[in-house]
Amino acid sequence: MTFKYLTVLSLGLLLLTSCGQEKKEEVKPEPKETKAGIVDEFADIKILQYEIPGWENLSLEKQKLVYYMTQAGLSGRDMMWAQNYRHNLTIRKALENVYTTYTGDKNTEDWKNFETFVKRIWFSNGIHHHYSTVKMTPEFSAEYLNQLLADTNTTLEGEAFEVLFNDKDAKKVNLSKDADIVLESAINFYGPDVTTADVEQFYGSKTVDANEPIELGLNTKLVKENGKLVEKTYKSGGLYGEAIDEVIGWLEKAKGVAENENQAKALGLLIDYYKTGSLDTWDEYAIAWVNSTEGDIDWINGFIEVYNDPKGYKGSYESIVQIKDFDMSKKMAVLSKDAQWFEDNSPLMAEHKKAEVKGVSYKTVIVAGEAGDASPSTPIGVNLPNNNWIRQAHGSKSVSLGNIINAYNGAGGSGRLEEFANDSLEVALEKEYGKQADKLHTALHEVVGHASGQINPGVGTPKETLKSYKSTIEEGRADLFGLYYLMDPKLQELGLTDNWEKTGKAAYDGYIRNGMMTQLIRLELGDDVEEAHMRNRQWVSAWVFEKAQESGAVVMEQRDGKTYFDIKDYSKMRELFGELLKETQRITSEGDYEAAKALVEDYGVKVNQDIHKEVLERNKQFKSAPYSGFVNPVLVPEMDEDGTITAIKVTQPESFEAQMLEYAKTYGFLK
């Protein structure tokens, strides 16, 4: 799972998807210049830089491994674009040609709107918003685009042109309970005529090992040929084969400089997987990867997170290359060591607890490069592998992306916090303990949250039983596990905080404030909540608020026409978080689809329109973009006359558009 969208409580109102995804992100406040710097800002997006501290301390061989793995990741970049929407690559190439060759008047409002639209597409890896998944609408006319195309001898015709200006394929992922969620989602995991019933019939008829099931459909596109459903596999010689061959080439170079035999074995299996498309090989790779714990370099690479598939089968391409942060990892290892204590003392039903939590490792890492679903919008934490039987039998790796979090923190201020927090005491508590609370919630979410609990014997996987609600239920379950323990003295006993009570209070304040109010600045007035992580924050907050309000543990106050949430009894709140955690685990363990549907639909989808309108009005004073992402540092190899790498330097790109155009030129392997 990917902690896809930042949830830095210390920033008050921030942006912590995937494995996506993962949690309680708030919108980041007004920025200030930092060492990493703000590269660009447009529409609802802010582009930041991140650094690679300690690069110079790595040996040349380790630097080569990082370089080869980042090149492998970037070589698959086009696959994410193709997966997101069938016309994305055609549209991107046409608009990039216009962007780079147009010589007309660039001072007009239309041209500035065109530039912004291209940047938004780059950020989202396609024409659908990276977060809401709604198709982005150009703020220029079809006539103007036609003129640009003519002036630059660029071709963009038919549906690929028309879709930019019509209502077709309006949502990349449509999770409405009233929709045919496959047919009405624009995501390119399925043919345009494939329905939800087709998908359920096709995969429902497949037989897998009940004890060690493969992730059915993870690396395929399901289409109809002559009326028959057929899978097209992502592999060398198959779908996306041109890009995959480039990925394989760099992985082979990486294998040649692996730090140890276990790394080399894992890379060899990853290469075999890309060559064959075999999901059995993918499982072998995942086992080898999770057991490859020695060495300073690690990576995430493959078709991994299923958040973009309304049915939860298809994995989006993703790559993250990482270097161990030894100091922070040592501090956080205590959570991994005590993972069994958290399981044993959780409020889960006894039959839903794991007797043995295996191999949960948690490390803070330094990101050296990202691609695909992880870029430009990046996770801040990841817990993999996703296959549940591998996690139970072999363990998992959980990482916090330290330099990414630091870059987010450096771009923040306190304006929105002071606007939406209940009082000065809440503001002061957030400023003093918010960052610590956020880091601990991320760690608890990833290390003990996703690793906790077990499914009852004979019950299918959550993907099969909970269907379209699987992702948001899982993210909510992990969030709840973290929230429950954020008010536990055990955290102070373990040396993770100097004041468990204040840390927990800051976490609870921020979570309710965000889930009930501030995350709504991401939505247009009248919209439902669609994104899985955003839904989970709302249904967790709304359910707990409803129960807590009945007992007076939390009150919603109106002062000067503004809404505030004031927690009166944090112990009662913890009790309610535990109660909801117990129920969410029961839903997961028993595969209770109707209960999952009721929880999400009743609490997580519809928005209080009065509060939403108020929040949007109060937020108008803040000009900082609500979403942030990153350019990647550029690794530049220096070579001798024989072509041997003698050094690798780290630089920063000239600009966001320069990096995007360079990526298109260098890694544009798909048509």
Side-chain angles (χ1 to χ4, degrees):
M1 289 75 178
T2 304
F3 202 154
K4 178 70 176 178
Y5 302 101
L6 180 62
T7 133
V8 185
L9 293 171
S10 59
L11 297 182
L13 296 154
L14 336 135
L15 172 96
L16 116 218
T17 225
S18 10
C19 235
Q21 100 359 207
E22 286 172 40
K23 322 16 174 166
K24 60 181 168 58
E25 74 236 58
E26 296 188 37
V27 181
K28 283 198 297 308
E30 295 300 287
K32 60 183 179 182
E33 289 298 330
T34 67
K35 184 178 179 182
I38 297 171
V39 177
D40 201 353
E41 194 162 0
F42 52 89
D44 56 356
I45 304 296
K46 181 162 63 255
I47 303 294
L48 310 174
Q49 293 177 346
Y50 65 90
E51 299 176 336
I52 311 177
W55 175 259
E56 65 281 358
N57 297 327
L58 294 177
S59 68
L60 179 58
E61 288 300 286
K62 292 178 182 179
Q63 290 182 354
K64 286 181 182 179
L65 177 57
V66 172
Y67 174 68
Y68 294 147
M69 290 305 297
T70 58
Q71 294 300 299
L74 289 167
S75 294
R77 173 179 181 257
D78 273 3
M79 292 191 286
M80 187 70 234
W81 283 78
Q83 287 182 311
N84 275 342
Y85 183 53
R86 64 188 181 278
H87 294 309
N88 271 341
L89 288 173
T90 300
I91 292 169
R92 188 192 80 195
K93 290 175 182 181
L95 298 189
E96 286 176 342
N97 191 61
V98 171
Y99 191 92
T100 55
T101 62
Y102 180 64
T103 58
D105 188 352
K106 295 185 178 180
N107 293 314
T108 67
E109 194 69 21
D110 276 337
W111 177 258
K112 294 184 185 303
N113 288 335
F114 173 79
E115 286 184 315
T116 297
F117 186 64
V118 173
K119 290 180 181 181
R120 294 183 75 193
I121 288 175
W122 282 331
F123 189 85
S124 295
N125 295 314
I127 66 171
H128 295 87
H129 194 278
H130 77 286
Y131 193 82
S132 71
T133 83
V134 173
K135 186 171 65 175
M136 297 178 288
T137 303
E139 294 186 4
F140 52 84
S141 67
E143 290 73 22
Y144 180 71
L145 180 56
N146 264 323
Q147 187 60 54
L148 292 178
L149 295 170
D151 290 348
T152 56
N153 295 314
T154 304
T155 300
L156 182 62
E157 300 174 329
E159 189 176 60
F161 178 92
E162 294 165 2
V163 75
L164 295 176
F165 300 97
N166 63 25
D167 295 331
K168 187 176 176 62
D169 297 330
K171 295 208 69 175
K172 184 174 74 175
V173 184
N174 188 340
L175 295 176
S176 171
K177 62 182 177 62
D178 300 318
D180 184 317
I181 58 175
V182 171
L183 191 64
E184 296 178 49
S185 292
I187 192 75
N188 194 28
F189 292 141
Y190 303 100
D193 53 352
V194 175
T195 68
T196 302
D198 289 332
V199 176
E200 292 175 349
Q201 182 276 325
F202 185 83
Y203 290 111
S205 66
K206 300 290 184 183
T207 301
V208 297
D209 187 319
N211 296 316
E212 299 181 356
I214 58 173
E215 295 177 83
L216 275 175
L218 185 70
N219 61 339
T220 65
K221 179 178 178 179
L222 185 63
V223 302
K224 284 184 179 178
E225 291 184 350
N226 300 318
K228 183 179 179 181
L229 290 166
V230 177
E231 284 187 301
K232 301 290 187 181
T233 303
Y234 314 147
K235 65 175 183 176
S236 177
L239 192 56
Y240 308 147
E242 299 89 343
I244 288 173
D245 285 341
E246 298 290 337
V247 173
I248 290 171
W250 288 108
L251 290 177
E252 288 173 337
K253 289 178 180 291
K255 183 182 176 184
V257 293
E259 296 179 85
N260 52 61
E261 290 184 6
N262 285 339
Q263 270 192 357
K265 177 183 177 181
L267 285 168
L269 286 166
L270 182 58
I271 291 166
D272 290 344
Y273 163 67
Y274 275 126
K275 287 181 176 179
T276 65
S278 166
L279 288 173
D280 289 313
T281 303
W282 173 249
D283 281 353
E284 291 179 53
Y285 159 71
I287 294 168
W289 175 79
V290 85
N291 285 309
S292 176
T293 56
E294 301 299 322
D296 297 340
I297 314 302
D298 208 345
W299 63 84
I300 292 159
N301 187 291
F303 306 102
I304 298 172
E305 304 293 0
V306 298
Y307 301 123
N308 283 320
D309 180 3
K311 291 300 297 178
Y313 286 101
K314 311 297 181 183
S316 296
Y317 175 75
E318 176 181 1
S319 171
I320 304 174
V321 184
Q322 55 206 39
I323 304 164
K324 285 183 181 177
D325 182 328
F326 296 100
D327 179 57
M328 284 302 300
S329 295
K330 184 178 180 180
K331 291 177 181 177
M332 297 309 297
V334 294
L335 268 184
S336 301
K337 181 181 178 182
D338 282 271
Q340 191 65 54
W341 182 91
F342 288 99
E343 183 80 353
D344 294 343
N345 290 276
S346 72
L348 306 184
M349 297 180 189
E351 61 268 30
H352 297 158
K353 293 181 182 180
K354 285 181 179 175
E356 183 180 1
V357 181
K358 294 187 177 179
V360 180
S361 68
Y362 184 85
K363 293 180 172 63
T364 297
V365 299
I366 296 163
V367 173
E370 299 179 311
D373 199 28
S375 180
S377 176
T378 171
I380 60 166
V382 182
N383 185 295
L384 292 172
N386 282 334
N387 198 328
N388 194 56
W389 77 262
I390 295 177
R391 296 168 67 86
Q392 292 195 27
H394 299 277
S396 62
K397 288 181 180 178
S398 189
V399 296
S400 175
L401 310 187
N403 55 333
I404 295 293
I405 294 173
N406 290 339
Y408 273 129
N409 283 341
S414 60
R416 286 195 181 99
L417 169 62
E418 290 164 350
E419 171 63 36
F420 289 97
N422 177 59
D423 54 29
S424 60
L425 292 176
E426 186 173 313
V427 171
L429 191 63
E430 172 66 28
K431 288 181 176 180
E432 185 177 5
Y433 282 94
K435 287 184 181 180
Q436 189 174 94
D438 176 72
K439 288 182 179 180
L440 284 175
H441 192 205
T442 301
L444 288 164
H445 176 114
E446 298 290 355
V447 178
V448 295
H450 281 310
S452 68
Q454 62 183 0
I455 296 172
N456 291 357
V459 175
T461 65
K463 177 168 57 180
E464 298 166 328
T465 58
L466 305 184
K467 302 180 181 180
S468 63
Y469 300 105
K470 175 259 183 185
S471 292
T472 191
I473 289 293
E474 174 57 23
E475 296 312 318
R477 189 183 71 84
D479 256 9
L480 285 161
F481 210 99
L483 288 164
Y484 180 76
Y485 280 114
L486 277 164
M487 281 290 290
D488 196 304
K490 182 72 172 181
L491 298 183
Q492 192 164 340
E493 177 188 323
L494 293 173
L496 298 175
T497 177
D498 61 356
N499 191 313
W500 64 268
E501 190 171 16
K502 288 185 176 180
T503 301
K505 286 181 176 180
Y508 285 15
D509 287 341
Y511 199 91
I512 295 298
R513 185 173 64 241
N514 183 39
M516 297 297 291
M517 279 198 307
T518 58
Q519 71 171 0
L520 297 179
I521 73 168
R522 296 168 175 270
L523 299 179
E524 297 291 334
L525 190 63
D527 286 352
D528 289 342
V529 181
E530 296 282 358
E531 198 276 333
H533 301 85
M534 195 171 175
R535 277 187 171 187
N536 95 243
R537 287 189 297 275
Q538 179 165 297
W539 63 253
V540 168
S541 299
W543 187 96
V544 169
F545 168 72
E546 179 181 276
K547 309 303 179 187
Q549 190 179 37
E550 294 172 359
S551 65
V554 64
V555 297
M556 183 172 69
E557 298 180 347
Q558 291 283 335
R559 299 195 300 271
D560 300 323
K562 297 180 179 181
T563 302
Y564 300 92
F565 291 86
D566 185 10
I567 298 177
K568 302 292 188 181
D569 187 340
Y570 290 91
S571 295
K572 180 62 177 178
M573 293 292 285
R574 187 195 188 207
E575 180 184 319
L576 289 169
F577 282 129
E579 184 180 332
L580 184 55
L581 170 60
K582 180 180 179 181
E583 170 61 8
T584 308
Q585 182 63 59
R586 184 200 66 77
I587 289 171
T588 302
S589 296
E590 298 178 4
D592 190 339
Y593 172 80
E594 291 301 328
K597 178 181 178 181
L599 184 59
V600 176
E601 294 292 342
D602 291 350
Y603 293 97
V605 177
K606 295 299 179 182
V607 175
N608 182 310
Q609 294 302 304
D610 291 336
I611 288 182
H612 192 185
K613 184 177 180 180
E614 174 200 322
V615 167
L616 294 177
E617 187 64 32
R618 292 168 69 180
N619 188 63
K620 284 181 179 179
Q621 63 185 294
F622 305 109
K623 305 305 179 185
S624 178
Y627 301 99
S628 293
F630 292 85
V631 289
N632 287 306
V634 182
L635 304 182
V636 183
E638 297 179 356
M639 302 182 184
D640 61 18
E641 294 179 354
D642 298 326
T644 301
I645 295 176
T646 57
I648 299 175
K649 305 299 182 184
V650 178
T651 65
Q652 291 290 344
E654 176 186 338
S655 63
F656 177 57
E657 56 264 38
Q659 181 156 88
M660 294 297 99
L661 291 170
E662 177 61 30
Y663 282 175
K665 176 183 176 182
T666 306
Y667 308 106
F669 299 118
L670 299 181
K671 297 179 180 179

